[in-house]
Amino acid sequence: MTNVVSSYAQETKLSDSFYNIQDSILIPTKSGIDISATIVRKQTHTQPLPAVLFYTTYYQGEGDSFFAKLSADRDYVGIVAYARGIRTDINHYSPYENEQTDIYDIIDWISKQDWCNGNVGMYGGSYTGFSQWATVKNIHPALKTIVPQVAVMPGYDTPMENNVQMYLGLYWSNDNIYKEEPIRRSLPFEWFTNGIAWKNLDSLAGYKNKIFQNWLQHPSYDKYWQSLVPTPEEYAKIDIPVLTTTGYYDGSQIGAIQYFKLHNKYNKNANHYFVIGPYDHWGGQAKAAKNLMAYDIDSVANMSMRQLAYDWLDYILKGKPKPELLKDKVNYQVMGTNEWRHSPSLQTMNNDTIRLYLDNKTLTIHKPKKRRFEEQSVNFKDRESQNNYYTPEIVFDTLDQSNGSVFTSKPFEKDFSINGSFTGELFATINKKDMDVSLALYEQMPNGKYFFLTRYVGRASYAQNNSKRQLLQPDKEESIPFVNTRFVSRKISKGSRLVILLNINKHPFEIINYGSGKPVSDESIKDADEPLQIKWHNESYIEIPIWKN
């Protein structure tokens, strides 16, 4: 959020005297707990206007009002409202749990003020994106549209992805909510080195973090997590227009795209537009980075998702023209073509798929006739080395195998585009009861350089059902399907190869699954026992959606 604030500060030159700013307004709710808010209007605004609500869980200080000023600048009433407990009594704070009811009451209050014409829109990213999906579980009549950007889906992509917990679960609440002393950068490495259980990670920070501990009680995508977002019946009733934005390198992308999929699945008439391009978590909600992680994005992708959000709000709330980019329901920038493309659905983006089998260090389109396997050994007691080291760059010279298995295709004879999310099925025999699998997909370009496309990470024991853990049987070949992967679109040039790096998690920033079968957050290095021995069978494959000219 701080990056976005700084960006806005450079863009605007208007002084506070230009606005009517009401800070620390308390909005009543049916729960009896007031919500803190800031309301901003231009001094020249005398007639009732549509209101734009930016609901947030963060508090950075007086500069937060810039989100409301952005709306006032576009001739709306701008409101920044804070999650229950933020700027009031932090003891009332429970992330994700109160948005459905609190935001309904906030919108109800806004719609009845004399400065509001009765119409309200919402926009914003990350937790703010999630909050919009929470409130449409029961849509207030005054809410006319939502613009969830890079929206997290709790329990689905945050604080765990495919049931693999991330370090984010601790530092997010510590640094951003409770405003404790910022967690020292060395803490995850200390945890990795000493090998204590993940559930004791907060002890290294010097105190018990109740949010972190609560989330650890829900390692499955269970009813607790599912209750926070719309049910199938609630998706079916979402009849207001929706605009979703995200990016290929957005950490919250699989949640953002899952909302889009479920809304369209359960509401065949969903008025929902989707925009995705070469953006990270910031670019998918604010302004694109011209150079993203050492990759110079195509010039047509160099745009502001924030500007697009306001153009959409103008379209819905003021009857202005629909944003030109939104030529169809799915709008995606194909990296390497300098083009945006448009499709009526995710399914119509492709006219073919490539199935590639992982066989003898190669990715082959032919199903192997002879059964064989690649062997991998992971010693969790060894803390001198890590698996799954990821370069912070998209384009780089040398692929770090990081103790994993690499599979490479032959050079392709024609250009084609990858459009969408790859899926697949791994077949493995291991000597333990569980493992956390990582699979990264790259293009090796004709010049030999690598282009990072996307990555999957997931827990094998939840591969069949993310709501129910099913342990693997040691020394038995098991199927590990994967479907919740990130969306990417890029032109693959003639002469390029595709490369898969298959690995097992063992690094400081995600939980380590030792494979004992115990709750993984309870495991420590004492549960490592013998090394994990894996046989990756050559029945394993990935399936990539493509567009062939």
Side-chain angles (χ1 to χ4, degrees), residues 345-471:
S345 68
L346 294 173
Q347 292 74 25
T348 55
M349 294 174 54
N350 310 291
N351 58 10
D352 205 350
T353 58
I354 299 177
R355 177 175 286 198
L356 297 170
Y357 291 90
L358 283 60
D359 179 42
N360 196 28
K361 302 294 186 184
T362 65
L363 293 175
T364 175
I365 60 174
H366 302 293
K367 187 173 183 178
K369 295 180 179 179
K370 181 181 179 180
R371 287 173 56 87
R372 54 188 164 198
F373 52 80
E374 298 287 336
E375 293 187 278
Q376 184 178 2
S377 179
V378 182
N379 183 2
F380 292 115
K381 292 180 181 179
D382 170 22
R383 294 306 163 94
E384 296 300 317
S385 64
Q386 298 180 21
N387 290 18
N388 293 341
Y389 171 76
Y390 289 97
T391 175
E393 299 178 338
I394 292 174
V395 181
F396 50 93
D397 294 330
T398 305
L399 179 64
D400 182 355
Q401 187 167 333
S402 186
N403 304 307
S405 297
V406 175
F407 301 83
T408 305
S409 76
K410 292 180 179 180
F412 291 98
E413 296 178 356
K414 295 182 179 179
D415 295 350
F416 64 93
S417 296
I418 294 177
N419 294 335
S421 305
F422 77 97
T423 58
E425 189 170 12
L426 300 173
F427 293 89
T429 301
I430 68 173
N431 61 334
K432 293 177 182 282
K433 297 179 180 179
D434 204 1
M435 58 182 178
D436 289 352
V437 177
S438 170
L439 193 153
L441 177 64
Y442 306 87
E443 174 193 4
Q444 186 177 20
M445 297 180 286
N447 63 6
K449 291 189 176 184
Y450 290 86
F451 191 105
F452 172 59
L453 294 168
T454 189
R455 176 204 181 200
Y456 163 81
V457 62
R459 182 156 297 162
S461 60
Y462 285 102
Q464 304 290 342
N465 184 342
N466 63 2
S467 299
K468 181 181 180 181
R469 193 180 190 196
Q470 302 171 67
L471 294 174

Side-chain angles (χ1 to χ4, degrees), residues 272-323:
H272 192 157
Y273 286 78
F274 183 81
V275 175
I276 189 167
Y279 312 121
D280 58 9
H281 197 58
W282 292 113
Q285 62 183 308
K287 191 174 182 180
K290 290 184 180 180
N291 182 278
L292 178 66
M293 300 160 58
Y295 166 58
D296 290 326
I297 67 173
D298 293 343
S299 61
V300 296
N302 184 21
M303 57 184 297
S304 168
M305 291 296 108
R306 184 194 304 146
Q307 178 69 38
L308 178 64
Y310 275 106
D311 289 346
W312 171 268
L313 291 167
D314 287 350
Y315 164 57
I316 300 299
L317 297 176
K318 295 181 179 178
K320 292 188 177 181
K322 185 170 69 174

Side-chain angles (χ1 to χ4, degrees), residues 200-256:
N200 297 324
L201 180 62
D202 54 358
S203 69
L204 297 178
Y207 74 106
K208 215 70 171 172
N209 185 302
K210 69 176 185 179
I211 293 175
F212 174 70
Q213 293 298 329
N214 177 46
W215 288 343
L216 290 183
Q217 301 307 306
H218 303 278
S220 302
Y221 188 62
D222 58 16
K223 291 181 179 179
Y224 170 76
W225 298 115
Q226 294 172 27
S227 70
L228 305 175
V229 297
T231 64
E233 295 76 19
E234 289 165 344
Y235 278 116
K237 294 178 181 178
I238 300 173
D239 57 358
I240 61 173
V242 180
L243 171 62
T244 285
T245 65
T246 183
Y248 303 139
Y249 302 97
D250 168 27
S252 301
Q253 190 221 96
I254 64 169

Side-chain angles (χ1 to χ4, degrees), residues 455-524:
R455 176 204 181 200
Y456 163 81
V457 62
R459 182 156 297 162
S461 60
Y462 285 102
Q464 304 290 342
N465 184 342
N466 63 2
S467 299
K468 181 181 180 181
R469 193 180 190 196
Q470 302 171 67
L471 294 174
L472 280 63
Q473 294 186 41
D475 304 315
K476 177 187 175 183
E477 183 175 337
E478 299 269 11
S479 163
I480 306 169
F482 55 91
V483 294
N484 295 324
T485 59
R486 284 181 172 79
F487 182 114
V488 69
S489 181
R490 172 165 167 81
K491 176 184 175 182
I492 305 299
S493 300
K494 176 183 177 181
S496 286
R497 305 169 186 259
L498 290 179
V499 179
I500 285 288
L501 174 55
L502 178 60
N503 219 333
I504 300 298
N505 267 19
K506 192 189 79 170
H507 61 87
F509 296 101
E510 289 165 344
I511 196 170
I512 293 178
N513 184 346
Y514 293 91
S516 71
K518 294 163 53 176
V520 179
S521 63
D522 291 352
E523 290 181 314
S524 72

